[in-house]
Each structure stands twice: as structure tokens, then as C-alpha cells.
Amino acid sequence: MRNVTKDNITDVFASYFGEDTDPRVREVLVALARHIHDFAREVNLTHDEWRKGLEMLEHAGRITTPERNEFVLFSDVLGLSSLVDMMHSKPEATSSSVLGPFHVSNPPPLAIGGDMKRDFGGPVLLVDGQVRDVDGTPIGGATLDIWQTAPNGMYSSQDPDQDIHSFHGLMTTDNEGRFAFTTVRPVEYTVPADGPVGELLNAAGRHPWRPSHLHYICSAEGYRSLVTEVFPDDDPYLDQDTVFGVRDDLVMKYVEQPADSFPEGFELSGKVDEPYLKVTFDLILAKG
């Protein structure tokens, strides 16, 4: 096509696809081009603005590592990650929420009643719950990949002073679908703001804070895997999570308990001599 104009460029782009192109690839790429072209026309995008956008993507590529993915962060703070999660969540199951860029593969096994707090300071948090299907049937043998920040607000992949699997564990539910472990109360933290994502947040007058949370990936044969996170109801950033991950059904409550009520069957049983926090939160899986 020789006579490409600002008005027909999207149609020209669509006409260049080969006959054997996968229909879904064509659908996605044509829609992407259409929205990009409409965006540029709507805001009358300048050359300087276009170059700035490319520079931010180049910067993201330079600083992305296996431990820090700036492109995932862009997706998170623009709301795209959460939007994709919400579009594909099942309303009858626990809501999904963002995976985030700090998940570590191959976490160590964590027995029911095991401890992730180790020698870290901060209040002991006892977490228990049950994995069930949407009809209320317990799901025994489900796997729970659990992770969180340390008390300094950093994930193990960010912090050279932590073991790479610090505050990570892989648990299998019992025959009644139950899980339980101890850890330290997670803290709110900032997403990395020293790169192009930080530039975007600053330009928009936005903060980089996330409310504190526990991450879960819950999997069981015959069910859709659930990637989610749960948040305490008293967190100051609950209503302005910079990555839009909070859902009503993912908000829970930590309840303080006296030390002498700490139950048996935990790695820390008999070792807790101060008040501790407890939360019960169940996970509901939809059929695959």
C-alpha cells in the first residue's frame, strides 16, 4: 500500500497479515494496533513523547533481571495485571490477584504447622484455613505455594541478606483440605521506584506503596490454579494499592491472642511467650 494515511494505517496494518496467520494472533495484534493508533491520534502524540515512551521501555529492558522484572511492574501499576486477573476469575471461587514480580520458584517444603518466621523479629502470626471447592467439599492434597515479605519490607529476591527461600514454603493440605503455619506479620512496602516505573508514578503524582499481604498459589488436580494474596483489614494502604490487587473477599482480620492459647501441633508450640496474631482464611477453588 503506497498511500498510507493517519486514517487508514490500521486497516493497512491488518491487510499485511499472511493467509496462514493463526486467527487468534491476528485478532490480538490487530486489536493492539487499533488501540495504539487510536491512542496516538486521541492525544496527538508528539515525537518527544513517543521517544520518551521508547526510552522507558529500553530502560526497563536494561534493569530487568530474573529477580526484578520491570515489565511486570509496568503491567501492575497500570492495572493491566489486575484487569486480566479479574476477567478470568470465577465469581464463585476466591478472587485471584496479582502474582507480582518477586515469586521464587522451587520453594522448600513446609509441613502443616511449620514455621517461616525463624529468627526474624516481629509478632508471630498463626495462619490456618481450608481449601474447598465451590460446593464446600474439602480438597485434600492441594498444594499451597506461600510467600511474603520479611519485616524489613523486602522479598528474599530483593535482599542479599536473606536466603533466597526466606519466607517461602510449599505446603500440602491434609485429607480435610486444611493448612496451617506460623510466620511474622507481613508489612506494607513500596514497589521498586528507582527505575522507569518510578518515573511513571512520580509523573502521575502516585505513591509506590502496597498494603501488606500473604501470597498464595493454590493448585489441585481437576481444579483451576488460584494465584492470589490476602490483606489485613487495618492496613493503611488497603484502599490505594498501587497495583490494584485488593478485592473485598481477600480482606481478612488479624486477631490478637494470649500466649497461653497457642495451640499444639505447631513447630512453635510451647515456644510462644507473648501475645500472637491469628487469622483463618479459606481458599475456594473452581473446577478446571
Side-chain angles (χ1 to χ4, degrees):
M1 177 70 172
R2 297 185 181 185
N3 187 25
V4 179
T5 71
K6 64 182 180 61
D7 297 315
N8 72 5
I9 189 170
T10 307
D11 292 335
V12 174
F13 173 86
S15 73
Y16 283 0
F17 280 79
E19 293 181 359
D20 296 330
T21 302
D22 182 276
R24 178 60 176 170
V25 171
R26 177 189 172 90
E27 178 186 11
V28 170
L29 291 181
V30 170
L32 176 64
R34 181 174 67 252
H35 288 291
I36 289 175
H37 296 166
D38 286 344
F39 155 73
R41 286 187 288 258
E42 177 184 343
V43 302
N44 195 27
L45 194 69
T46 69
H47 285 91
D48 286 343
E49 291 162 344
W50 170 72
R51 279 191 290 268
K52 180 61 178 178
L54 294 181
E55 287 171 4
M56 293 180 76
L57 293 177
E58 290 169 0
H59 189 184
R62 289 195 302 272
I63 67 174
T64 290
T65 67
E67 292 75 35
R68 172 180 175 172
N69 191 317
E70 198 76 2
F71 293 101
V72 173
L73 279 177
F74 265 126
S75 177
D76 290 349
V77 303
L78 290 171
L80 179 59
S81 302
S82 281
L83 177 58
V84 173
D85 285 336
M86 290 185 286
M87 288 192 304
H88 297 285
S89 287
K90 294 293 186 180
E92 65 274 18
T94 299
S95 292
S96 62
S97 190
V98 294
L99 174 68
F102 303 115
H103 176 251
V104 174
S105 300
N106 302 313
L110 181 66
I112 295 176
D115 177 59
M116 296 200 302
K117 184 177 185 291
R118 302 183 193 175
D119 297 326
F120 286 86
V124 172
L125 172 63
L126 188 158
V127 182
D128 65 12
Q130 185 183 43
V131 179
R132 305 191 305 270
D133 67 16
V134 297
D135 297 319
T137 304
I139 303 176
T143 59
L144 226 60
D145 187 343
I146 307 159
W147 74 104
Q148 66 172 86
T149 59
N152 64 359
M154 299 180 72
Y155 289 94
S156 60
S157 58
Q158 298 174 285
D159 187 356
D161 293 331
Q162 290 185 61
D163 177 87
I164 190 61
H165 287 128
S166 173
F167 288 105
H168 288 73
L170 188 67
M171 182 172 292
T172 302
T173 61
D174 67 13
N175 291 336
E176 293 300 314
R178 298 198 175 276
F179 61 93
F181 61 95
T182 53
T183 183
V184 66
R185 175 172 178 156
V187 298
E188 58 269 17
Y189 66 90
T190 61
V191 299
D194 57 344
V197 167
E199 284 188 68
L200 184 150
L201 293 175
N202 287 335
R206 286 175 52 186
H207 67 69
W209 285 92
R210 293 217 64 203
S212 60
H213 52 271
L214 291 165
H215 286 276
Y216 295 114
I217 300 176
C218 187
S219 305
E221 186 175 353
Y223 295 88
R224 290 168 56 109
S225 291
L226 172 68
V227 178
T228 196
E229 46 192 350
V230 294
F231 307 85
D233 63 356
D234 59 351
D235 193 283
Y237 295 101
L238 198 64
D239 293 313
Q240 202 175 56
D241 178 9
T242 199
V243 306
F244 312 97
V246 180
R247 318 279 183 265
D248 281 342
D249 67 316
L250 301 181
V251 178
M252 42 75 172
K253 186 177 184 65
Y254 295 146
V255 180
E256 187 172 286
Q257 306 284 342
D260 60 7
S261 71
F262 195 89
E264 296 297 322
F266 285 79
E267 189 176 336
L268 294 186
S269 297
K271 302 174 185 178
V272 176
D273 54 10
E274 295 181 352
Y276 65 98
L277 301 173
K278 183 177 186 296
V279 62
T280 297
F281 190 88
D282 297 339
L283 298 170
I284 311 301
L285 300 187
K287 290 284 188 180

